[in-house]
Every structure is written in C-alpha cells, then in structure tokens.
Amino acid sequence: MTEHDTLTSEDVTVDATPAVDAGEVVDETTDEATESAGSPEGARATDPAAGATSTPSGRKAQLEREGEVAADFLETLLDICDLDGDLDVDIDGDRAIVSIVDSDEGRVPRRLVGQGGSTLDAFQELTRLAVQSATGERSRLMLDIAGHRAERKAALIELAKEAIAKVKDGSEREALSPMTAFERKVVHDEVLAAGLVSESEGAEPRRFVVVLPA
C-alpha cells in the first residue's frame, strides 16, 4: 500500500443524494425489462449527446477511469483505517469491477463484507458516490471484497442450474428464494442460456425469480 495524506472533505466531495433508494442496494440500471430479458449488459444504447462514451472505445475509457478513481478512493480509505488489502481493477461488460483482495501483508478483514454482504453493499455505494463526484456520471461500478460476490455468483449459477434441470425434467414452475436485482439478473442470464424462460415476481425486498418451460 502506498502512503496517502489524510482524507478530508476537500479530497472527496460526495453528493449527499443517494444513487439508489434507501434500503436494499441494487443495480439501479437493471430495470425489469432488462432483468427478465437477460440481455447483454453492453447492449443498452448510450445517448449520442454523451459524445465519446457512445462508442465502444469511449465507453471503455470511461469505465477504466471509474476503476482508477474507485481504486484511489479505496486505497486511501484502507490506509486511513490501517487495513490490509490489495486492489484489482477490471471491466466486465458495461461495468467496472474493483476487488479488494488479500495482500502479502495480510488478509482483508472479513468484517468488511458484513452479514449477507450488508457492509460490502455500503462500501460499494460509498465508492460509487465518490466516482460520481469525480466523473460527474452515475456509476454502476461493482465492488467485491475477499471474493464474496464472486462466490455468491457461482452459488447462484449452481442454484439456477438445479432449477433448470427440474423444469427440463417436467416441473412446470420452479420458484427461487428472494434475491437482489443483480442476483436475479445472474439467474435470468443462466436460464436464458439454457433455452428456458424466467420471470420475476413479488415486491421488493422479497422479489424472486421463477423458472418456467420455454
């Protein structure tokens, strides 16, 4: 970890308006149409008025910028809190991904994930606001800590495969447990790839996915 000056309000100015509604931290740009359709993340059109960001190269540069800003913010935060951890930055589709991983100096404290990922969600929202403050654009950046989201995604894929197998064996309907919008999107994508149909039912925060025959 590199040394940083103490973080002050002048260093990071964060808009007090939350990027998502209070309560569950979800993927705010995953509306019901995109979620249920299982369409690729990068398929959404960008406003031509945005200029360079409407082109693939311009969008990639924007996502790389988001990742850099987020990494600088999180590195400073870890230094202030005297916590171990290295930062990995990547791009997945139309989203920047920043991961705090174990370093040579020590492991990332698992308490930063929190019960059910609640603390991780809070850190992600704070990081998105810092990126928005620096870039002027709302961010869909995904933050992972100690591989929690990666492990959750793998578990969701296995859960979806089990439901898919039951439907292909003759079940008319397989309802899964309530999930966040991002988690539902993971399931929808897996069901779509298997040639079946899925829908979201219920109301937040108890909204869930139902897997159906094609």
Side-chain angles (χ1 to χ4, degrees), residues 4-78:
H4 291 266
D5 294 330
T6 301
L7 190 67
T8 67
S9 58
E10 288 77 14
D11 296 321
V12 179
T13 303
V14 177
D15 187 348
T17 304
V20 295
D21 293 336
E24 181 187 14
V25 178
V26 299
D27 177 8
E28 65 272 16
T29 60
T30 304
D31 56 22
E32 191 65 25
T34 301
E35 179 192 310
S36 59
S39 58
E41 293 282 346
R44 286 186 290 274
T46 304
D47 185 353
T53 59
S54 63
T55 66
S57 59
R59 181 56 179 160
K60 181 180 179 181
Q62 180 179 338
L63 293 176
E64 290 174 345
R65 170 63 174 156
E66 287 187 13
E68 291 171 359
V69 171
D72 287 344
F73 173 77
L74 290 167
E75 186 175 12
T76 302
L77 196 60
L78 289 174

